[in-house]
Amino acid sequence: MNTDNTIGTLQRAASVIKGWVNYHNISDNYKRVHSFVHHSREIIFKWFNRKGGQRKMTWKKCNAILEAIGLSQHGKVKSMFC
């Protein structure tokens, strides 16, 4: 696995996810944003584990990698009433 390509792909995915969350993360839309982030993280986890014959990645390690590239599980919620 080419690590430079993988890191670049992860950073790009994190950038897209953060952009979507920043646009849609208002107080009345928490459930939808949380669901989007959760499913995005699941897809990345499955992508990590696609290579046959290699050791499977655990959620703990996957979360550590995603935190390292700046994709946190929680974002700041903006109130639409203030």
Side-chain angles (χ1 to χ4, degrees):
M1 179 187 276
N2 187 349
T3 57
D4 290 337
N5 245 354
T6 303
I7 293 170
T9 302
L10 283 174
Q11 288 173 336
R12 178 68 178 160
S15 174
V16 170
I17 293 167
K18 285 190 267 184
W20 190 92
V21 168
N22 286 339
Y23 183 80
H24 293 283
N25 204 14
I26 57 173
S27 58
D28 199 35
N29 202 19
Y30 174 77
K31 287 183 182 180
R32 177 65 62 196
V33 171
H34 179 72
S35 176
F36 176 79
V37 172
H38 176 73
H39 289 297
S40 299
R41 293 172 76 88
E42 283 182 340
I43 290 168
I44 291 171
F45 178 74
K46 288 178 183 178
W47 176 69
F48 274 133
N49 286 318
R50 282 190 71 212
K51 293 287 187 181
Q54 293 184 354
R55 296 167 70 188
K56 297 291 182 183
M57 179 169 291
T58 64
W59 269 109
K60 185 176 181 178
K61 187 174 180 181
C62 182
N63 285 333
I65 291 170
L66 293 176
E67 292 292 328
I69 64 168
L71 185 60
S72 66
Q73 292 180 348
H74 308 288
K76 293 182 179 178
V77 177
K78 298 169 200 87
S79 176
M80 61 186 215
F81 301 110
C82 291

